Amino acid sequence: MDLGIQGKTAIVCASSKGLGLGCAEALAEAGVNLVMNARTEAPLVAAAERIAKAHGVTVTPVAADVTTEDGRAAVLAACPAPDILVTNAGGPPPGMWSDWEREDFIRAIDANMLAPIMLMKATLPHMIDKGWGRVVNITSQSVKAPIPQLGLSNTARTGLTGYVAGTSRQVAPYGVTINNLLPGIHDTERARALDEGVAKARGISVEEARAERIQTIPARRYGSPSEFGAMCAFLCSRHAGFIVGQNILLDGGQVNLTM
Ligand code: NAP
């Protein structure tokens, strides 16, 4: 299928690895020129060079922490008026409800709620002027079903979801869509770190922790960054203009919901 977005420009945040990289790769395959971002320069530059060469698109790497004002300014300076914005950042640390103080919540809200909101605030006016735009926010399955030990994530991402629910309806008349992609467990460094945490806490091997988790997923496997990226690219395509303000679970059926 021709996604109809060849020659458009996208900012893909937090994209040197994992789900962000999957999204960057799928957009590049559709002919989209990219600004890729991560904090650590070497793997970011390597990923950017590989993608540019593989897909014949322009890729500008911006090494910056997208959860800070300066970091966002650096990303936006490289591409002030993208056609497509994919927001993403690392998730907050796990813990217990009784561990977290106000400062922990402020950090999580800054990173996983206000960072994407500020990026949308900066880029939506340009998309509205052009009469076309796409925003995809990478959130989490925890928006639909809370993960108790990820209370900071549950809190911040639900706030972002509320913002998107209202804002997406305000920008849709101008040809601009905003949607959220909700990953369940995917095979990335983050997932491996979570499995290592479970293995350590329970005194089992990482392979055993992974095998146990797989049994909780009806698809009986972890998702891959490339299939996640393909869904992101479709939401950014010209075919997805009627999909507005949705929260799309990619979780192999793990969240047990009728709707
Ligand atoms: P990952 O494999 O650890 O990759 C994270 C990527 O983001 C790396 O490129 C990292 O590079 C970059 N990054 C992290 N913090 C950043 C920041 N502040 N500014 C700029 N770049 C940053 O993680 P992932 O599995 O792809 O997860 C992506 C998001 O999805 C996270 O928020 C995670 O909580 C959420 N999620 C993941 C899963 C899963 O199973 N994988 C499930 C549910 C939700 P640097 O470290 O160099 O910055």
Side-chain angles (χ1 to χ4, degrees), residues 9-46:
T9 56
I11 293 176
V12 186
C13 301
S15 57
S16 67
K17 296 177 186 169
L19 303 179
L21 178 60
C23 295
E25 186 109 45
L27 287 169
E29 200 180 327
V32 174
N33 298 310
L34 303 175
V35 168
M36 288 174 65
N37 153 260
R39 291 163 303 180
T40 320
E41 192 158 18
L44 173 67
V45 170

Side-chain angles (χ1 to χ4, degrees), residues 67 92-93 101-113 156:
T67 66
E101 302 298 339
R102 183 173 186 279
E103 285 313 308
D104 300 305
F105 285 102
I106 298 293
R107 263 195 300 278
I109 287 169
D110 255 341
N112 297 107
M113 176 181 156

Side-chain angles (χ1 to χ4, degrees), residues 161 163-174 176 178 244-247:
T161 307
Y163 174 86
V164 167
T167 307
S168 60
R169 270 97 186 165
Q170 290 176 290
V171 301
Y174 306 100
V176 179
I178 314 177
V244 170
Q246 297 303 299
N247 290 283

